Amino acid sequence: MQNVMEVTGLRVAYSGREAVHGVALPVARGMVTAIVGPSGCGKTTLLRTLNRLSELTPGCRVSGEIRLDGDDCLGMDPVQLRRRVGMVFQRPNPFPMSIRENVLYGVKAQGVTKAQHDQILESSLRKAVIWDEVKDRLHESALALSGGQQQRICIARSLAVSPEIVLMDEPAGSLDPRSTAKLEESILALRGDYTVVIVTHELGQAHRISDNLAFMYAGHIVEFGTTKQLFEAPRETATRDYLSGGLVTLPADDDLADLVRGGVAVR
Amino acid sequence: MTVYGGDATAAPTTSSARRFRLPAGLDEARQHPESLVYALPLAVGIIGLFVSLLAVVSNATDGIMSALLVLLGLAQAAAVAVRRARTGSLDRLGVGLALLPLVTGLLNALMPVWTFGYDLNGILHRTVFSGPALFVFATAISALSIRRLLVAAPSGQDLALGAVFMGPILLAVMGFLFVLVGIVVNGASKFQLSMLTTAWGQIPGQNAYNVGYLNNILGTFLLIGLTLLFAILPGVGAGVFMSEYPGRLARVINFCATMLRGIAIFIIGAAAIGVVHLADAFDSNSFLSLLLRGGWDDGTRIQAQRGSFVLAAFFMAMLVMPIIARLTEEGLRSVPREMREGSVGLGATDGYSLRRILLPWAAPNVMTALILAGAEAAGALAVIWFMASVGQHGVNLFSSVTDLDFAVFASIYGPRPYYDTMLENQDVGALLLLVLTISLTLIAMLLQRRFAKRYRGSITA
């Protein structure tokens, strides 16, 4: 199968206020799919719904369909889903434990036998391109690492449970440029073995690391295609405006404008 | 008269030319020389504050009380008058604050030194009235004077506020020291090391008594231990439930915890004695009687008592359970959202997250809760009041409950031979209890830091 995940007609509302208005998103296996869009457009909500973390927020309602390898995600046990779809957050959130315990947290939670622990630890840290930096201090607290290192530990932690998809919510959002470069390096290293869906604010980053790109605006996915296509020949004027760094303008007679106005008010 | 603004280029040189700089407020006050006169009521106010605090401990201040009140009023009146003459504006608040101490001072001078009779079941010295009055007026006048003195500086308002806060704090510290010093001085002077190793009781064959607190100390520890044993699971469980499973049942538990904290401790003690009486119909040798009433073997048969350690601890647990539940809940609620989501996002079940992330994070709170609960159990006399004995027949699960608390009570109001031999030592028992509870609290503070570092990776609690 080409696509590991298929999202169709997904709607997400918080306490009756709809934030995502029926979106469709195919996630290609082994590739990096980026979601970009202005703040508040619903991209983080969409991402958090893909492994049903959005359900932790009281008052959240989800409808539509998400299929992971054909399985109905919204119908399955959420714990099971989260074991198959991992998450890396905007702010590095290592647990107050040693580096080793952090990486093996999910592994132990799922009851993987002890014999495999060392091997999983090393391979996950290598895949997140942090093994060389931490291999001599695996028993030290993960909180002593720098922000960039912590974030790569978090990536290693989510890789350790061998998920089918890794979701990343602006993973470089709180990192300096040098750490960001390292992080992008580790994301690129995942391509092929893992499927990554990443939300990012930084267009340059989306350009550098993603294969496919979705532009989201006001709760809709306005345009989806390969990154190259969206950056070089976007179909929608809104996509062109946003990706070229300008203000998004919606012509009065545009179909999209009607669509957006139907969902939320646009000035 | 004000010299604000002026030449922009000249301003920096004038300030740097001074040899030493006054604090900002006083610096500004210079530009309002008429406000300096408020230094007078401020000075008298500060003296008045300290004298009124001394009145808490001793009525020897009575000799200067009336004079000081009048002086305070006069100083304030003088400041108001000077301000009026210089600026033409009348400080109405100042006038009010000048009149009050003047009138109070005169009334105090006219008042009899001792108040007898009326509805007062005893006698009152007049410093009971003049002390608080002086305290309030001195605080208010000091605060107002600081405000007027630093009239041109906005931070003067904050300093004046500081005076308003400082007065009551000093009073509280004074009251605390008054109690503490009394117990420590009297207790330490009577204390003998043998009191820690001797239990109170008749010396066999003599009409004399051993004086000591051994059984009361052991009893306190047994009571604390048993209470925590009974309270920890339901307490932590209720805390977890209130924080992690919000819903109708959580609200009910929350309500119960609040109510349990809200009812008078005495009611718990009354309920406990009701349960003790359930065993009245049973033989003193039976298990139920031992469990509820407790007893001691006088050599021929078991003598029933009025309440065992087990029963007392059970009711004590009711008292401390809400503390544990609340602090556990608070600890769990302080778990950062990223930490919860990080755990859940890795496919951890709720139970696994609770065990590996949430409860360790809440551990400093739970630790504190347990130690505070222990201190509470050691100090809540009302729960065991009806049940306790002075503990001369030993300490075990089924013996009559006793602790330091009750020893202090009994040495003042207790049964005859105990009262006769222990009255002079009452402060020793209080001192021991004080040392015990203060050490528990100190341990709680230290452990909280350690646990926060260990389980949260930071030193913030």
Side-chain angles (χ1 to χ4, degrees):
Chain A
M1 202 192 296
Q2 176 71 42
N3 292 331
V4 58
M5 184 180 258
E6 286 278 0
V7 178
T8 40
L10 186 73
R11 291 177 178 276
V12 187
Y14 290 117
S15 310
R17 236 185 104 92
E18 201 168 80
V20 174
H21 312 293
V23 304
L25 180 72
V27 178
R29 189 184 298 279
M31 295 197 180
V32 178
T33 304
I35 305 173
V36 295
S39 293
C41 72
K43 53 191 191 304
T44 295
T45 301
L46 170 62
L47 192 78
R48 286 168 58 85
T49 307
L50 297 186
N51 74 346
R52 292 174 63 183
L53 272 183
S54 55
E55 288 174 15
L56 298 183
T57 312
C60 173
R61 287 177 62 89
V62 179
S63 64
E65 195 180 51
I66 306 175
R67 290 209 171 267
L68 175 64
D69 279 336
D71 299 334
D72 176 17
C73 291
L74 296 180
M76 75 164 75
D77 178 356
V79 174
Q80 191 61 44
L81 173 67
R82 288 171 198 142
R83 289 176 180 184
R84 293 170 65 180
V85 182
M87 181 95 173
V88 176
F89 297 83
Q90 182 172 2
R91 271 177 43 191
N93 59 344
F95 303 131
M97 309 170 180
S98 68
I99 294 169
R100 182 189 161 88
E101 286 301 307
N102 259 284
V103 176
L104 293 178
Y105 183 86
V107 176
K108 287 184 177 175
Q110 298 183 17
V112 176
T113 52
K114 239 182 183 155
Q116 294 170 269
H117 285 182
D118 286 333
Q119 185 260 321
I120 291 175
L121 177 70
E122 181 172 346
S123 70
S124 315
L125 288 169
R126 278 190 191 283
K127 280 182 217 154
V129 201
I130 182 130
W131 171 253
D132 292 331
E133 289 164 59
V134 300
K135 64 181 179 213
D136 300 323
R137 45 197 293 203
L138 292 172
H139 291 281
E140 287 174 33
S141 168
L143 297 178
L145 298 173
S146 75
Q149 289 173 323
Q150 288 185 358
Q151 193 62 302
R152 277 177 286 147
I153 291 290
C154 292
I155 291 181
R157 190 170 73 180
S158 65
L159 296 180
V161 295
S162 332
E164 291 165 57
I165 302 180
V166 181
L167 309 174
M168 297 187 184
D169 183 6
E170 293 177 43
S174 59
L175 303 184
D176 63 65
R178 202 181 133 71
S179 306
T180 304
K182 281 253 185 195
L183 187 83
E184 287 178 11
E185 186 190 328
S186 67
I187 295 174
L188 284 172
L190 300 180
R191 186 148 59 170
D193 298 331
Y194 291 88
T195 308
V196 176
V197 181
I198 179 169
V199 159
T200 177
H201 262 309
E202 221 213 303
L203 298 175
Q205 186 173 63
H207 200 190
R208 285 192 294 276
I209 62 172
S210 70
D211 301 290
N212 293 327
L213 188 61
F215 169 55
M216 243 185 128
Y217 191 79
H220 295 277
I221 289 187
V222 172
E223 192 167 351
F224 174 82
T226 64
T227 305
K228 192 174 155 60
Q229 177 204 329
L230 254 71
F231 269 97
E232 288 171 9
R235 272 179 288 116
E236 303 285 346
T237 52
T239 314
R240 193 193 56 223
D241 288 345
Y242 185 77
L243 293 185
S244 63
L247 281 174
V248 176
T249 50
L250 298 172
D253 55 345
D254 197 284
D255 288 348
L256 174 67
D258 290 341
L259 197 66
V260 170
R261 286 200 187 91
V264 289
V266 173
R267 270 177 295 186
Chain B
M1 159 176 327
T2 45
V3 279
Y4 284 125
D7 195 345
T9 52
T13 46
T14 49
S15 62
S16 61
R18 288 196 187 112
R19 263 190 304 173
F20 54 89
R21 284 177 62 82
L22 291 164
L26 287 174
D27 205 20
E28 299 266 354
R30 246 185 209 190
Q31 297 165 3
H32 294 261
E34 80 281 357
S35 66
L36 286 175
V37 70
Y38 275 91
L40 182 64
L42 176 61
V44 183
I46 290 171
I47 295 169
L49 202 59
F50 280 102
V51 170
S52 70
L53 287 177
L54 285 179
V56 173
V57 219
S58 158
N59 56 24
T61 54
D62 186 50
I64 54 169
M65 200 58 99
S66 298
L68 200 54
L69 277 164
V70 171
L71 193 60
L72 191 60
L74 288 179
Q76 176 68 17
V80 172
V82 170
R83 185 168 189 256
R84 167 111 169 126
R86 289 279 184 86
T87 66
S89 72
L90 182 64
D91 182 358
R92 286 170 195 226
L93 188 57
V95 171
L97 281 179
L99 287 177
L100 281 170
L102 274 175
V103 172
T104 315
L106 292 176
L107 283 178
N108 192 58
L110 295 174
M111 194 178 174
V113 177
W114 296 96
T115 308
F116 294 89
Y118 305 115
D119 281 340
L120 303 169
N121 188 17
I123 48 175
L124 289 178
H125 193 271
R126 64 181 174 188
T127 46
V128 171
F129 306 105
S130 56
L134 181 63
F135 177 77
V136 171
F137 298 146
T139 307
I141 286 177
S142 306
L144 180 79
S145 302
I146 292 174
R147 176 88 179 83
R148 296 275 184 255
L149 191 61
L150 307 180
V151 61
S155 58
Q157 297 182 19
D158 294 342
L159 278 172
L161 212 57
V164 175
F165 286 133
M166 275 314 288
I169 291 173
L170 282 175
L171 187 66
V173 169
M174 200 74 185
F176 182 66
L177 286 179
F178 177 54
V179 173
L180 212 62
V181 168
I183 290 177
V184 172
V185 170
N186 296 337
S189 65
K190 300 275 187 207
F191 178 75
Q192 290 160 2
L193 209 56
S194 64
M195 289 178 175
L196 297 179
T197 52
T198 319
W200 182 86
Q202 191 167 10
I203 302 169
Q206 293 179 39
N207 191 17
Y209 290 85
N210 280 318
V211 170
Y213 287 98
L214 176 65
N215 281 354
N216 307 108
I217 295 169
L218 291 178
T220 307
F221 284 119
L222 182 61
L223 190 62
I224 291 175
L226 276 180
T227 301
L228 294 185
L229 193 68
F230 288 148
I232 183 165
L233 269 184
V236 171
V240 168
F241 208 90
M242 287 193 286
S243 156
E244 302 303 307
Y245 301 92
R248 190 173 301 246
L249 186 57
R251 284 205 297 278
V252 171
I253 293 177
N254 189 11
F255 178 76
C256 292
T258 311
M259 289 311 290
L260 214 51
R261 257 340 258 172
I263 61 173
I265 302 177
F266 210 77
I267 306 285
I268 296 181
I273 205 71
V275 173
V276 171
H277 283 305
L278 292 179
D280 283 355
F282 291 84
D283 186 77
S284 63
N285 207 7
S286 66
F287 177 70
L288 188 73
S289 171
L290 276 177
L291 186 69
L292 301 185
R293 291 195 284 183
W296 63 284
D297 194 345
D298 70 354
T300 51
R301 65 187 301 270
I302 300 287
Q303 295 289 343
Q305 300 278 304
R306 282 172 304 166
S308 70
F309 268 101
V310 177
L311 183 94
F314 181 81
F315 280 90
M316 200 63 98
M318 283 193 184
L319 182 73
V320 304
M321 223 149 54
I323 304 177
I324 300 174
R326 280 265 175 269
L327 284 179
T328 305
E329 184 197 7
E330 196 181 290
L332 290 174
R333 284 193 195 281
S334 72
V335 177
R337 207 180 78 159
E338 303 97 75
M339 216 69 90
R340 284 173 187 273
E341 291 187 341
S343 175
V344 171
L346 285 168
T349 56
D350 286 351
Y352 192 80
S353 298
L354 188 68
R355 215 167 60 238
R356 292 286 313 270
I357 303 289
L358 305 185
L359 282 181
W361 184 275
N365 297 64
V366 177
M367 193 62 240
T368 313
L370 291 182
I371 292 179
L372 289 183
E376 173 100 10
L381 175 62
V383 174
I384 58 165
W385 209 334
F386 303 116
M387 303 186 263
S389 70
V390 296
Q392 76 229 56
H393 302 303
V395 170
N396 64 58
L397 290 183
F398 303 115
S399 69
S400 174
V401 61
T402 184
D403 68 358
L404 282 168
D405 237 3
F406 190 78
V408 176
F409 168 74
S411 59
I412 308 171
Y413 297 107
R416 209 55 221 234
Y418 191 80
Y419 164 84
D420 292 337
T421 48
M422 295 298 277
L423 180 61
E424 60 175 13
N425 294 321
Q426 50 167 295
D427 282 326
V428 178
L431 179 63
L432 291 176
L433 188 59
L434 197 71
V435 168
L436 186 82
T437 45
I438 288 182
S439 347
L440 280 178
T441 314
L442 283 179
I443 292 170
M445 287 161 74
L446 288 176
L447 279 182
Q448 186 167 29
R449 278 174 172 245
R450 275 187 76 107
F451 273 48
K453 201 172 165 57
R454 165 95 175 70
Y455 290 114
R456 297 181 183 176
S458 72
I459 49 165
T460 51

